[in-house]
Amino acid sequence: MEDKGRESDHLMLITPERVFYAGLLGRPRKRTPGSCHVYVAVKGSLHLTTDDVQTSDELVVTLPNQRHTIASDYRTVVSVTLEPESMPDGVIEALAERLRGPDKAAYARKILAAYTLLRHRRYGDIATAEFDEMCFGEALPRRVLDPRVMRAVARIGRFSGEPVTADTCAAEAGLSASRFLHLFKEETGISFRSFRAWKRARHLLHFANQDLNLAHLAQDIGYPDSTHFSHSIRRFYGLKPRAIFVGSRDLAIYRSTETVRLAEAS
């Protein structure tokens, strides 16, 4: 689904398992997002700092939950994010190794070509395999989740404002809470609590270019209060919520209608 009425080279395509962003980087502090980030410079170089070690290049990669800062010589940056639960263990690490390898420049050109394509095509209805082909030249392997975990993932992704608890998901799965939590982490590689926290913060992206009351938005997507909301967003994105919204005013947002496994779990 396209966010109408915005003519800008800044865009974001959001699917359940991927995000393609081309827009302002801002001046973020240290950030710890729950997904893999592939950053590509539109012009000049990017400067990535992890564990006080800085890397400068046209393409840099961070793994899920890796604390880092990112700066750019140019105000606009391209970022491709991949959700770790969508792929088998080891796939993201292997992809990161390829992206950092001798074909780095070719991958950077491929992702910038995807940006050009999206600027002209401006669509949101894209399957994960097509997204991966567009950005990396191949469809990445898919993780097959236990149906009970798939239902919990779908429940978390609805963001109806009602709190999603492990007890609720466990009851729906016919398991004890402890057994469900073990199964969830075993299947996704992520703890239930960490997964829920990241997805809640990720859901903010859908509203980033809208003029909203942030306190009301925080409540709508499940935060207990504005303080928790601000703290969580700054932890994941390195920016205050207000800074994200101010920097996204001319951002065109496209939301995929792909439901794949999430809809089947509903």
Side-chain angles (χ1 to χ4, degrees):
M1 181 178 69
E2 179 180 345
D3 192 335
K4 303 289 185 181
R6 297 180 183 271
E7 295 297 330
S8 170
D9 287 340
H10 294 169
L11 62 88
M12 181 160 56
L13 168 60
I14 307 172
T15 84
E17 300 175 338
R18 306 284 189 268
V19 176
F20 191 104
Y21 172 77
L24 299 177
L25 179 61
R27 296 179 179 176
R29 298 180 179 180
K30 288 185 178 179
R31 55 171 66 178
T32 315
S35 58
C36 169
H37 273 63
V38 182
Y39 298 101
V40 179
V42 175
K43 295 180 182 178
S45 295
L46 299 172
H47 311 286
L48 173 70
T49 303
T50 57
D51 299 324
D52 297 322
V53 176
Q54 187 179 93
T55 302
S56 296
D57 215 319
E58 63 182 326
L59 182 154
V60 294
V61 186
T62 60
L63 298 178
N65 304 306
Q66 182 176 25
R67 198 174 189 209
H68 66 277
T69 58
I70 183 77
S72 175
D73 292 341
Y74 185 63
R75 62 199 304 264
T76 297
V77 67
V78 170
S79 171
V80 178
T81 65
L82 306 92
E83 300 302 311
E85 80 282 356
S86 68
M87 290 168 283
D89 293 343
V91 170
I92 285 180
E93 291 78 5
L95 174 64
E97 187 174 345
R98 293 199 300 276
L99 294 175
R100 294 170 181 145
D103 294 328
K104 179 189 300 181
Y107 279 115
R109 289 194 299 269
K110 182 76 173 173
I111 291 172
L112 291 177
Y115 172 36
T116 300
L117 175 64
L118 290 173
R119 285 169 58 192
H120 290 92
R121 186 171 172 182
R122 296 185 179 275
Y123 65 97
D125 193 10
I126 182 172
T128 298
E130 184 183 357
F131 185 108
D132 292 347
E133 288 275 4
M134 179 178 67
C135 293
F136 307 115
E138 62 178 316
L140 300 173
R142 298 289 297 275
R143 187 193 296 257
V144 179
L145 294 174
D146 183 293
R148 295 167 293 184
V149 173
M150 288 169 61
R151 284 193 293 271
V153 168
R155 180 183 282 273
I156 291 170
R158 291 189 192 112
F159 296 99
S160 62
E162 293 297 322
V164 179
T165 66
D167 287 340
T168 301
C169 293
E172 189 175 59
L175 299 171
S176 67
S178 60
R179 173 58 189 144
F180 169 76
L181 290 173
H182 177 79
L183 176 67
F184 190 94
K185 186 167 186 178
E186 184 178 59
E187 286 286 307
T188 65
I190 310 162
S191 75
F192 179 86
R193 184 175 181 180
S194 296
F195 182 91
R196 183 181 58 186
W198 165 241
K199 295 301 183 182
R200 183 184 293 157
R202 187 186 192 270
H203 195 61
L204 172 75
L205 298 179
H206 290 274
F207 309 97
N209 62 358
Q210 298 182 27
D211 185 13
L212 298 174
N213 181 302
L214 293 186
H216 292 167
L217 175 62
Q219 185 176 22
D220 289 344
I221 60 179
Y223 288 97
D225 53 54
S226 296
T227 300
H228 283 84
F229 173 57
S230 181
H231 176 76
S232 177
I233 297 306
R234 290 181 70 177
R235 175 165 66 94
F236 287 121
Y237 295 109
L239 294 163
K240 294 180 180 179
R242 178 61 60 187
I244 293 175
F245 278 76
V246 169
S248 301
R249 285 172 177 164
D250 70 341
L251 184 68
I253 298 179
Y254 305 91
R255 303 170 183 86
S256 175
T257 57
E258 180 198 13
T259 53
V260 196
R261 293 167 296 127
L262 300 184
E264 293 172 359
S266 300

